[in-house]
Amino acid sequence: MDFLTLIQILDSTIRLATPLLLACLAGLYSERAGVFDIGLEGKMLAAAFLSAAVAYVTGSVWLGLLAGIGASMLLALVHGLASITFRGNQLISGVAINFLAAGLTVLVAQSWFQQGGRTPSLMGGARFEPINLPFADTLSGVPFLGPIYGDLISGHSVLVYMAFALVPITWWVLFRTRFGLRLRAVGENPAAVDTAGVSVTRLRYAAVLICGVLCGVAGAYLATGLQAGFVKDMTAGRGFIALAALIFAKWRPWNALWACLLFGLLQAVALRYQNLDLGGIVIPVQVMDVLPYILTVIFLAGFVGKAIPPRAGGEPYVKER
């Protein structure tokens, strides 16, 4: 493998890891507050469809982004009502959201566009364009440094840079602010937080809505940044991989970054080396496609160690009288 091929694989890794990272940080806020969210996949899928649809109709990718965030927040609010207000089972609520989004997006897409459950291709202002950072063209001819800065660091859309910037921001919010302290406390001991006069319900709703915003950005990036439109089930299990990355990271932002980059690398390698020839033995493309999911299970089973979730996670809080 030469240096330029390595740069291309790493560039694909960053692009593929971005929706995973956004969804992983979304789950991090929700689960740190004690609300488990299996519905990351569904919220991303709904956001991907509505962002692509609105971007196509209006020609504005930013309106598409807002629409995607709105769709994801609406589903997040449904999850909050079911699991926080009505104290329903959080896992069942999340699964229901996944099924709802998977069916509804295809149904509405077919009704609106009559293209087999997909949206028309996005072009021009309906897509997020890559951003060339300062001096990227100037340094392009410099050996080693030029390809790293010009081809690997530069040339991504604004949502990619935002996703990576959210990692230190999330760390600071959760571990250096009063809001973050209360949020983590709600996930560990909500009764103590309630005794201190802080609303457990309000904090959990805040976490769930933040989760909805980040899932909305992740879904919008899939449809308007990584690809050029919505297709059926385009999230392709990314929400579940994000949950696996969250467990792998043990609910910590910086660890989540490395976990998502690892899973993004596995996907990039699978896309790059299809029908891989190893000493006369050709590995079929189907094996390479399923490799990231197989290795996800292997990593979780053998390399995570003991991952302890928030103690109050998955349990509805009933205020004592």
Side-chain angles (χ1 to χ4, degrees):
M1 182 188 299
D2 58 20
F3 179 67
L4 291 180
T5 301
L6 178 61
I7 291 295
Q8 291 173 358
I9 292 176
L10 293 178
D11 179 71
S12 297
T13 298
I14 291 175
R15 298 176 192 273
L16 292 169
T18 296
L20 296 178
L21 180 58
L22 288 166
C24 190
L25 293 177
L28 178 64
Y29 278 101
S30 182
E31 297 197 5
R32 276 287 188 172
V35 182
F36 288 165
D37 196 349
I38 304 295
L40 299 178
E41 179 91 356
K43 288 195 281 288
M44 289 172 63
L45 194 60
F49 164 68
L50 201 58
S51 63
V54 172
Y56 173 76
V57 172
T58 64
S60 171
V61 69
W62 293 104
L63 290 178
L65 175 63
L66 291 177
I69 292 174
S72 179
M73 289 186 69
L74 180 61
L75 291 180
L77 187 61
V78 171
H79 181 58
L81 286 170
S83 59
I84 300 173
T85 301
F86 298 111
R87 306 188 186 99
N89 187 289
Q90 297 174 6
L91 300 182
I92 294 176
S93 173
V95 171
I97 287 174
N98 289 337
F99 282 120
L100 176 65
L104 197 59
T105 51
V106 176
L107 180 66
V108 177
Q110 177 61 22
S111 175
W112 286 0
F113 302 107
Q114 288 82 42
Q115 294 191 10
R118 60 183 297 166
T119 62
S121 297
L122 304 179
M123 296 179 292
R127 288 198 65 199
F128 280 105
E129 298 294 335
I131 298 174
N132 288 323
L133 298 180
F135 309 112
D137 296 332
T138 305
L139 297 174
S140 60
V142 179
F144 189 74
L145 179 62
I148 291 178
Y149 183 72
D151 298 331
L152 182 59
I153 299 176
S154 179
H156 298 287
S157 69
V158 63
L159 296 186
V160 175
Y161 298 112
M162 186 185 78
F164 282 83
L166 281 172
V167 176
I169 292 174
T170 297
W171 174 85
W172 180 78
V173 169
L174 288 179
F175 296 98
R176 290 294 183 271
T177 66
R178 179 180 297 178
F179 172 75
L181 175 62
R182 290 175 173 176
L183 193 73
R184 289 184 290 122
V186 164
E188 295 292 338
N189 193 342
V193 176
D194 192 19
T195 302
V198 179
S199 174
V200 173
T201 300
R202 188 179 304 164
L203 279 171
R204 286 191 167 179
Y205 264 109
V208 166
L209 291 177
I210 291 173
C211 174
V213 171
L214 294 180
C215 281
V217 177
Y221 171 76
L222 280 175
T224 61
L226 190 62
Q227 299 184 34
F230 172 83
V231 296
K232 178 183 176 182
D233 295 331
M234 69 181 306
T235 48
R238 285 182 173 89
F240 299 109
I241 294 180
L243 286 174
L246 184 60
I247 299 171
F248 187 62
K250 299 182 179 179
W251 294 271
R252 292 185 175 275
W254 288 107
N255 293 348
L257 170 62
W258 308 125
C260 291
L261 286 174
L262 173 61
F263 293 137
L265 177 62
L266 294 175
Q267 290 182 324
V269 170
L271 290 174
R272 178 79 182 186
Y273 295 102
Q274 299 188 0
N275 292 324
L276 185 62
D277 188 351
L278 296 177
I281 301 176
V282 178
I283 300 178
V285 61
Q286 292 84 358
V287 175
M288 297 304 297
D289 287 338
V290 80
L291 182 63
Y293 303 96
I294 294 175
L295 293 181
T296 297
V297 176
I298 293 174
F299 283 138
L300 287 176
F303 297 99
V304 172
K306 189 175 183 180
I308 302 175
R311 286 185 296 176
E315 298 293 333
Y317 175 67
V318 180
K319 186 180 179 67
E320 294 183 0
R321 298 187 181 275

